[in-house]
Amino acid sequence: MSSSTYPFTAIVGMDDMRLGLLLNAISPSIGGVLVRGEKGTAKTTTVRALAALLPEVVTVTGCRFSCDPAAPDPHCPDGPHTGGDCAVRPARMVELPVGASEDRLVGSLDIERALGEGVKAFEPGLLAAAHRGVLYVDEVNLLGDHLVDSLLDAAATGVSSVEREGVSVRHASRFLLVGTMNPEEGELRPQLLDRFGLTVEVAASRETEERVEVVRRRLAFDEDPAAFAAKWAPEEDALRERIAAARALLPGVRLGDGALRRIAAVCAGFEVDGMRADIVTARTSAALAAWAGRTDVTTADVRQAALLSLPHRRRRNPFDAPGLDEDRLDEILAGFEDEDPEPEPDGPEPDGDGPEGPEGPDNGPDDGPGGGPDGGGRPPQEANDGPAAATTDDVPPQRQEPGHEPARQEASAAGGREDGGEAPAVAASEPFRTRRFTVPGLGEGADGRRSRALTAHGRTTGARRPRGGALSKLHLAATVQAAAPHQRARGRGGPGLVVRRDDLREAVREGREGNLVLFVVDASGSMAARKRMSAVKGAVLSLLMDAYQRRDKIGMVTFRGSGAAVALPPTSSVEAGAARLEKLPTGGRTPLAAGLLQAHEVLRVERMRDPSRRPLLVVVTDGRATGGVEPLARAARAAGLLAGSGIASVVVDCEAGPVRLGLAGELGRALGGPVVTLDDLRAENVSALVRTVRNTDSRRAA
């Protein structure tokens, strides 16, 4: 082990993460592990420490794809291998950065040589470098969907393929996959979650003594890494031997019918989709038995395996948090107690006794909470936390513009609090499928499913010279057309086409992008009137779900009382948006201008951070404005500021009751965007309207 690598056995706590990693080291067929948790919880340190424990790799000398001399890959681009020298090296840990391109991940072909010489000149990617080692993906939830698909396909099949205009290269790619993510930054799609074998939750310890031990060990390591590593070397060697012994024992583990019935009953009892859960749970149970030094799988193994393999497979919608009801699990397994005469094992947890003694914490740090100098993690802020926006001052009622008095009267009649008081939060109504709103024009943002954009994937609409010298998707016809006029001057004498790099053209593709959907939600007393807030929250929740499905980032600004606040800064986590919406209180005046100005500031800052992601502003209000001098006029000026910035917007009109002032419509005209009612949001209502129009046209034609 390198003296710069923190010892695995010196890591404090994080038992589930360490166990999940060790089980995958014993049985890579489990399919990897996804580590979910707050930043700074020893995730990266633990993965690097595990890689140092893996057995050394014997490779064919000179092979860029780490072929095993005993069983070389028949499709290896550097093959065929027919004997020769061997090399021994440590198992690699390869890190995939969030901003990596597809070519960096899977490798790239030299298209110029492929077209001109018929040679498959292949430059290996990270999937080749990770073969027979560890592939670590930090913030896997922030990777593009196409990259995650390629990554998980290789992890499942053990093969990586590169296709470019009919030229194909395949090579072996088997690795221990470890992904980490902070759920506050957004979830993976359920289909992708299912492809990870195990998932574990990590959090910094709240125990004072354990945190003290983390800091003590980290400081000792930073002061003298070599001495610290030497101190833990006996424990590292013992753990390395235990992993090797478990690997050797694994083929002899007996997974009998009784264990298989337990596994099937648990997976069926929790209503997980498909059969992957059963297979992964079976493999994990066998690895647990091997780790404990047994050849028979017990009920305890099945229970532990279920706790690792099922929580992330039970999500039914974007707002469901992964988890497993342990009481329900025990209830299911209780029916098999008579079939399990085996004594309970001592436990498959990794040994924690080290130089500190068995009484101390058994594992440790990283750079952050629970593991380093960055300090402890904090729980998410409450819904109303955030920078305050411009505020409005209350003035006597006689100075309010039209719309103020009906709002006050309606709020009073319905129990709303337009007088500055606060009403308790109400539950959202049942969400529904919404219309799709888009940003006009053609963007170039991240791949998604909302607005038209130039993307790496989609239908081909043209060709252009490669940008930055790197060719992504070859446009074959345009390349041939560019090279054809120069063949005589280039001395072409045979059937091959003489192609130069200047001839290459890449395809211009049009697909869809994800946008930043910023919700501006009116939480004033007028919105609470007639119990409308439940329907409003249901509508916003539905739009949040739509944003999740279309791969958008979201943010939320709320306004009520004397000002506006950022309830949720722009993020990929719609779960956080739903949580903030649930706790949203109502009551007080309606500072509409403050809400719009706060939205303008949020979008201004976000444009500097991510200029390619275009925003869509969704204002949910009845259009009334109160508080301060000329509140409606100031709201109109704020709306004009947003419209002048070229921000696409939609106004969701929440006005109800027999008296309608149409103020939301005026706001929509000032913003330059469409206005829809709560009922108009429903996709089925739009479909019904289209069917009605078509039927009317058909009758007229007849």
Side-chain angles (χ1 to χ4, degrees):
M1 181 186 69
S2 169
S3 60
S4 61
T5 302
Y6 195 94
F8 190 88
T9 51
I11 295 172
V12 177
M14 308 301 169
D15 293 342
D16 286 345
M17 176 167 62
R18 291 185 293 117
L19 179 60
L21 292 170
L22 289 169
L23 294 175
N24 273 274
I26 295 166
S27 177
S29 63
I30 287 173
V33 58
L34 175 65
V35 182
R36 297 164 43 89
E38 58 197 18
K39 57 185 178 293
T41 45
K43 297 188 291 289
T44 302
T45 293
T46 306
V47 177
R48 288 176 177 159
L50 177 76
L53 293 173
L54 297 179
E56 292 183 325
V57 176
V58 181
T59 66
V60 175
T61 301
C63 178
R64 296 174 297 166
F65 301 86
S66 302
C67 278
D68 185 350
D73 176 16
H75 302 290
C76 179
D78 286 353
H81 301 300
T82 56
D85 296 335
C86 300
V88 179
R89 61 165 177 79
R92 290 183 185 140
M93 175 184 157
V94 176
E95 296 189 47
L96 174 63
V98 171
S101 65
E102 187 175 14
D103 284 347
R104 182 74 182 99
L105 176 65
V106 301
S108 59
L109 285 168
D110 189 332
I111 299 297
E112 183 179 355
R113 294 187 63 191
L115 291 177
E117 306 173 28
V119 176
K120 293 183 181 179
F122 181 69
E123 184 65 29
L126 296 177
L127 291 180
H131 181 44
R132 304 175 69 194
V134 178
L135 180 59
Y136 175 61
V137 188
D138 193 17
E139 297 182 321
V140 64
N141 53 325
L142 302 184
L143 282 180
D145 286 346
H146 63 289
L147 289 181
V148 178
D149 285 333
S150 298
L151 173 68
L152 295 179
D153 281 343
T157 63
V159 175
S160 175
S161 300
V162 182
E163 302 282 348
R164 293 288 188 276
E165 301 297 334
V167 181
S168 176
V169 173
R170 301 176 70 241
H171 64 83
S173 182
R174 291 183 293 275
F175 46 82
L176 194 167
L177 175 63
V178 183
T180 62
M181 59 175 282
N182 184 345
E184 292 183 3
E185 293 297 328
E187 288 283 358
L188 277 173
R189 287 181 288 153
Q191 299 93 322
L192 299 179
L193 278 173
D194 185 54
R195 302 288 290 275
F196 279 94
L198 310 179
T199 185
V200 296
E201 299 277 348
V202 297
S205 173
R206 299 299 186 256
E207 296 294 329
T208 301
E209 291 305 316
E210 191 166 303
R211 295 176 75 95
V212 167
E213 186 63 22
V214 167
V215 175
R216 180 183 294 119
R217 295 187 187 186
R218 185 73 209 193
L219 293 177
F221 174 77
D222 292 341
E223 183 179 349
D224 191 343
F228 189 83
K231 179 180 180 181
W232 289 88
E235 285 68 29
E236 292 287 286
D237 291 341
L239 184 56
R240 188 178 291 108
E241 292 174 3
R242 187 175 177 185
I243 293 172
R247 277 187 168 187
L249 182 61
L250 182 64
V253 172
R254 185 176 64 87
L255 195 64
D257 289 344
L260 292 175
R261 282 196 297 272
R262 294 176 180 83
I263 292 168
V266 168
C267 293
F270 282 104
E271 299 179 347
V272 295
D273 296 331
M275 294 299 298
R276 184 177 281 116
D278 302 63
I279 295 170
V280 171
T281 305
R283 289 171 174 166
T284 307
S285 299
L288 282 163
W291 176 244
R294 292 183 274 99
T295 56
D296 288 303
V297 173
T298 67
T299 298
D301 296 330
V302 173
R303 184 184 190 280
Q304 180 67 67
L307 291 173
L308 294 172
S309 64
L310 298 188
H312 59 302
R313 294 185 164 91
R314 300 199 62 245
R315 295 183 72 210
R316 289 296 181 266
N317 68 62
F319 308 127
D320 287 342
L324 203 67
D325 185 343
E326 294 193 38
D327 291 337
R328 173 62 177 155
L329 176 60
D330 291 335
E331 180 183 329
I332 295 172
L333 292 175
F336 295 91
E337 287 181 352
D338 294 340
E339 300 181 22
D340 187 11
E342 303 270 354
E344 290 296 321
D346 293 334
E349 296 295 333
D351 291 333
D353 297 346
E356 303 292 338
E359 299 300 323
D362 55 352
N363 286 338
D366 191 6
D367 43 356
D374 290 343
R378 294 178 298 173
Q381 294 181 345
E382 293 300 322
N384 288 329
D385 287 349
T391 62
T392 58
D393 298 323
D394 292 340
V395 296
Q398 61 269 25
R399 301 185 62 183
Q400 302 302 322
E401 296 194 26
H404 169 70
E405 283 304 324
R408 178 183 293 275
Q409 293 166 4
E410 186 179 86
S412 176
R417 304 294 296 277
E418 183 69 30
D419 58 354
E422 180 176 304
V426 298
S429 61
E430 190 69 22
F432 50 84
R433 191 165 64 91
T434 68
R435 296 171 53 179
R436 176 166 63 90
F437 298 102
T438 62
V439 178
L442 193 64
E444 295 189 36
D447 285 354
R449 295 183 178 180
R450 184 172 296 279
S451 305
R452 293 176 56 229
L454 298 177
T455 61
H457 302 83
R459 63 185 181 90
T460 300
T461 59
R464 66 186 177 194
R465 292 180 181 273
R467 293 181 173 180
L471 180 67
S472 55
K473 301 287 184 180
L474 178 72
H475 194 296
L476 183 58
T479 299
V480 173
Q481 187 176 12
H486 308 292
Q487 295 306 295
R488 181 175 296 178
R490 293 173 181 174
R492 174 185 172 186
L497 188 68
V498 181
V499 180
R500 300 287 186 261
R501 181 160 293 277
D502 288 344
D503 302 327
L504 298 179
R505 299 291 184 271
E506 68 179 6
V508 176
R509 299 178 181 239
E510 181 178 318
R512 293 197 176 274
E513 67 179 358
N515 299 113
L516 166 60
V517 181
L518 180 63
F519 295 92
V520 180
V521 182
D522 185 346
S524 66
S526 67
M527 293 291 288
R530 300 182 185 275
K531 300 182 179 179
R532 276 183 285 153
M533 205 60 198
S534 177
V536 169
K537 285 189 175 183
V540 177
L541 192 66
S542 303
L543 290 166
L544 283 170
M545 187 175 297
D546 181 70
Y548 167 82
Q549 294 168 342
R550 301 192 188 281
R551 314 290 184 263
D552 295 319
K553 290 181 69 175
I554 61 147
M556 188 182 300
V557 171
T558 63
F559 59 94
R560 56 177 291 272
S562 61
V566 179
L568 181 70
T571 176
S572 296
S573 175
V574 295
E575 297 85 351
R580 303 295 170 89
L581 181 69
E582 181 182 1
K583 299 176 182 177
L584 181 64
T586 58
R589 297 186 180 274
T590 312
L592 177 57
L596 297 176
L597 291 174
Q598 180 69 80
H600 182 272
E601 177 62 16
V602 170
L603 295 177
R604 184 189 68 80
V605 173
E606 194 64 19
R607 186 182 292 117
M608 292 189 292
R609 293 175 177 170
D610 190 358
S612 64
R613 189 179 289 270
R614 298 187 295 163
L616 175 64
L617 183 69
V618 180
V619 184
V620 185
T621 182
D622 56 12
R624 293 183 169 98
T626 61
V629 180
E630 298 183 337
L632 284 177
R634 288 192 294 115
R637 289 194 293 271
L641 179 64
L642 287 162
S645 302
I647 295 169
S649 62
V650 177
V651 176
V652 180
D653 183 1
C654 304
E655 190 172 30
V659 179
R660 294 174 180 263
L661 302 177
L663 296 174
E666 294 181 12
L667 177 63
R669 285 188 289 275
L671 287 169
V675 179
V676 297
T677 66
L678 290 176
D679 288 337
D680 290 339
L681 276 178
R682 295 180 179 270
E684 56 265 28
N685 291 350
V686 177
S687 301
L689 177 61
V690 171
R691 287 195 297 271
T692 301
V693 172
R694 287 178 177 172
N695 292 338
T696 302
D697 291 342
S698 299
R699 286 195 296 271
R700 288 175 179 172

